[in-house]
Amino acid sequence: MKTLEQGIEDLAARGLNLFATCPMSEIPHDIKEIFSKEKIPWTDTDSIVVIGHGGPTMWEKIPKPLGPNPVDTFALNEVEKFNRDVLNDSSLRILYPKSQWLVPLQRLGRFLKLGQPSLLGLDINSQYGLWFAFRVAFLTSRPLPKISGPTDKSPCINCATKPCQTACPAQAVQSKPEDFRLNACAQYRFEENSKCEHWCHARAACPVGEAHRYTDEQFAYHMGRPAHLLKLKEYK
Ligand code: B12
């Protein structure tokens, strides 16, 4: 068996470098309400664990050539190993990915300080900027200490120049997170000769966490997933 700290370090070495956990008893009401609506089985003695990746390391560690669902498969394998090494919980419940439940990852991430709203619809992390996403969320009955991330306020608040706004060819980026024009983004994205087919100029213009930017290959992969594009088309 390994200590929790060792397990978290092993995940980070594989690029799953964002880790937060908290007892379900402390999770805010709006999130619990969604859990109940989704019929997710939880009790107040469970802890929720949310794991994300920031920057390009995870992509480097994913075996190439890519298999089916390479990111989800990689992340779930790493969590299986973490469970074997650290928790040994035979009733661990995977909530994301590949479950029947829709888990509000951004809301959980905000509460656990992994991210806060940005002007782009994506949440932003103080270290990795817009170059992060949630990879796994699970419930465990093992007692865990509360662990939160460092992002308690959005770096967009103190950004004077807002280069994301000027860089967006669709003028989708406004001055407040809630005003992001998803339909303008989707419409432009699918136009002929769109500059945004494999690239998001607004995201690339953000100076926060620039050193952790995805490689072009990773960026194009995330932008081009068919499930995402199909859903995005609904907003045209
Ligand atoms: C549905 C969805 C979308 C929809 C948005 C629907 C909407 N109403 O606006 C679409 C297809 C547009 C989308 C797009 C993207 N998404 Co999305 N999406 C999701 C998903 C699967 C479910 C959200 C949900 O309904 N949650 C349940 C409700 C109850 O919780 P909620 O917190 O209130 O959810 C709201 C917000 O998450 C918001 N939202 C989600 N994505 C987006 C994107 C934009 C631009 C906006 C304005 C709002 C928004 O809409 C939800 C419903 O109101 C989540 C994964 C998840 N399980 O949360 C990823 C997720 C939110 N998406 C993510 C990403 C990365 C993207 C893309 C960048 C993908 C890409 N590579 O291009 C794009 C960005 C937009 C673009 N310009 O293309 C990440 C965000 C990570 C982060 N840093 O915050 C998530 C968390 C997935 C992950 N594994 O991390 N997405």
Side-chain angles (χ1 to χ4, degrees), residues 139-235:
L139 290 170
T140 174
S141 48
R142 295 278 184 248
L144 291 175
K146 189 173 175 175
I147 301 174
S148 302
T151 312
D152 50 6
K153 72 175 181 10
S154 171
C156 299
I157 296 168
N158 293 323
C159 176
T161 50
K162 304 206 180 343
C164 54
Q165 283 185 330
T166 32
C168 176
Q171 277 115 45
V173 184
Q174 305 297 307
S175 303
K176 287 195 232 142
E178 59 275 25
D179 293 340
F180 179 80
R181 297 169 61 214
L182 184 53
N183 55 345
C185 166
Q187 207 137 32
Y188 179 80
R189 181 89 190 273
F190 296 108
E191 268 177 24
E192 224 176 296
N193 303 323
S194 163
K195 291 186 203 157
C196 306
E197 212 186 325
H198 304 293
W199 193 254
C200 172
H201 295 269
R203 193 171 176 184
C206 177
V208 184
E210 224 172 352
H212 302 288
R213 184 185 285 215
Y214 297 164
T215 61
D216 292 359
E217 184 198 31
Q218 182 181 8
F219 201 5
Y221 171 81
H222 288 299
M223 292 287 287
R225 283 179 309 108
H228 157 66
L229 291 177
L230 258 175
K231 185 119 194 94
L232 187 63
K233 268 204 173 118
E234 293 170 20
Y235 293 87

Side-chain angles (χ1 to χ4, degrees), residues 16-232:
L16 297 170
N17 42 17
L18 296 168
F19 187 102
T21 178
C22 160
M24 276 305 286
S25 57
E26 291 180 32
I27 289 289
H29 187 65
D30 66 313
I31 297 180
K32 279 186 176 169
E33 242 176 27
I34 296 172
F35 275 39
S36 300
K37 219 174 84 206
E38 289 288 318
K39 301 196 169 56
I40 294 175
W42 60 274
T43 68
D44 266 341
T45 54
D46 287 330
S47 283
I48 186 157
V49 176
V50 179
I51 295 170
H53 86 272
T57 310
M58 177 196 70
W59 187 256
E60 285 160 18
K61 303 289 179 193
I62 292 179
K64 313 285 181 319
L66 298 174
N69 296 320
V71 176
D72 291 349
T73 305
F74 174 84
L76 286 171
N77 283 343
E78 294 302 319
V79 165
E80 204 182 295
K81 188 167 177 302
F82 174 83
N83 187 27
R84 243 187 354 254
D85 290 349
V86 178
L87 299 174
N88 199 15
D89 178 356
S90 58
S91 65
L92 183 137
R93 281 139 289 162
I94 298 283
L95 305 182
Y96 178 87
K98 292 190 183 171
S99 83
Q100 75 256 48
W101 305 298
L102 179 60
V103 182
L105 291 175
Q106 289 180 315
R107 289 191 208 207
L108 277 166
R110 286 168 200 168
F111 176 68
L112 295 168
K113 300 185 181 171
L114 295 177
Q116 296 298 335
S118 78
L119 301 184
L120 304 188
L122 301 179
D123 282 2
I124 187 163
N125 175 278
S126 47
Q127 185 183 0
Y128 295 103
L130 297 163
W131 308 104
F132 93 97
F134 303 98
R135 301 283 49 126
V136 180
F138 66 82
L139 290 170
T140 174
S141 48
R142 295 278 184 248
L144 291 175
K146 189 173 175 175
I147 301 174
S148 302
T151 312
D152 50 6
K153 72 175 181 10
S154 171
C156 299
I157 296 168
N158 293 323
C159 176
T161 50
K162 304 206 180 343
C164 54
Q165 283 185 330
T166 32
C168 176
Q171 277 115 45
V173 184
Q174 305 297 307
S175 303
K176 287 195 232 142
E178 59 275 25
D179 293 340
F180 179 80
R181 297 169 61 214
L182 184 53
N183 55 345
C185 166
Q187 207 137 32
Y188 179 80
R189 181 89 190 273
F190 296 108
E191 268 177 24
E192 224 176 296
N193 303 323
S194 163
K195 291 186 203 157
C196 306
E197 212 186 325
H198 304 293
W199 193 254
C200 172
H201 295 269
R203 193 171 176 184
C206 177
V208 184
E210 224 172 352
H212 302 288
R213 184 185 285 215
Y214 297 164
T215 61
D216 292 359
E217 184 198 31
Q218 182 181 8
F219 201 5
Y221 171 81
H222 288 299
M223 292 287 287
R225 283 179 309 108
H228 157 66
L229 291 177
L230 258 175
K231 185 119 194 94
L232 187 63

